[in-house]
Amino acid sequence: MERATRDPDGTLVALEADPADAEHDRLAHEAGLVLTREVLQLRCPLPAADPEPLDLRSFRPGVDDDAFLEVNNRAFAWHPDQSGWTATELRDREAEPWFDADGFLLHERDGRLAGFCWTKVHPASDHDPALGEIYVIAVDPAFHGLGLGRALTLAGLQHLAARGLHHGMLHVEADNVPARRLYEDLGFTEHSAHRWWGPADPGQ
C-alpha cells in the first residue's frame, strides 16, 4: 500500500507506505519530508516460551464491554489509533467474521480488569502463512510494574499455538522502546514497517 499526496504543482507533500522500503525513504528524503510515524510488524515462531501462571477468562460480549473500554482508553490515552474507543467501535469489531471471544483473554485483580490480550487469526494467503496476531494487548496503568504485559503476551501466544498456528505477529510503534524490548526478549523480530512522512514543519 502506498499513498502519496502532492500539491497542485506535483510536489510530494506527504507519503505513507506499508510495507515501506528504501525507495520510499529515498522519495521522502528528496522531497524534504521527515518521518512522522513508524509502526513495525514483528513476528515470532510458535510455540513461544512457556506462559507464566496467570488467571484468565474469555471476554463476554455485552458484559465486559465497559470494563474493556475503560482499560483500553486508559492504557492507550497516548495512541493515535487505539485511544478513545467507543462502544460502537468495539461492537463493529465484535461483528467481524474473525472475532473470537475465546481468543480475547482477560485478567482480573481485586475485582477489576487489570489487563487483556486480544488475539486474531489471519488465514494463509498467497504471500503469508496463517498468522496468529496479538491484536490488542494492554495493562491498566494502575497495575503496571507487575510483569503482566509479558505474562499476557505469552498467554496469547500459547492460545494461538494451541490453535495449530506456527507464526505469531503483532504491531508496535517504533518509538515504544519498552514494548519493543519486551517483544524482542520473547523472540519477536522485525518483519516489515509501515511509515508516514510529512513536512519538516507541519505549519508549512
Side-chain angles (χ1 to χ4, degrees), residues 6-23:
R6 299 180 183 275
D7 65 16
D9 68 4
T11 301
L12 185 66
V13 295
L15 180 64
E16 177 186 356
D18 181 22
D21 57 26
E23 178 63 13

Side-chain angles (χ1 to χ4, degrees), residues 174-189:
D175 60 1
N176 189 345
V177 176
R180 289 180 60 184
R181 286 176 178 163
L182 168 63
Y183 298 141
E184 289 165 5
D185 186 56
L186 295 178
F188 282 90
T189 57

Side-chain angles (χ1 to χ4, degrees), residues 50-136:
D50 291 336
E52 302 167 6
L54 194 68
D55 290 331
L56 298 165
R57 67 171 177 83
S58 297
F59 178 83
R60 299 166 299 179
V63 176
D64 296 316
D65 296 32
D66 289 345
F68 161 76
L69 289 169
E70 180 181 355
V71 172
N72 179 83
N73 292 340
R74 279 167 51 82
F76 289 107
W78 56 274
H79 198 275
D81 301 322
Q82 195 67 27
S83 63
W85 270 29
T86 66
T88 298
E89 288 170 302
L90 177 57
R91 284 195 297 269
D92 286 346
R93 284 159 179 79
E94 292 173 354
E96 291 285 347
W98 54 261
F99 178 77
D100 175 16
D102 290 338
F104 193 160
L105 308 175
L106 308 185
H107 172 65
E108 295 172 315
R109 292 200 178 190
D110 303 325
R112 57 187 284 198
L113 181 62
F116 59 84
C117 182
W118 185 354
T119 66
K120 176 180 180 179
V121 174
H122 299 264
S125 68
D126 292 340
H127 306 290
D128 282 311
L131 296 168
E133 180 180 0
I134 303 292
Y135 177 58
V136 189

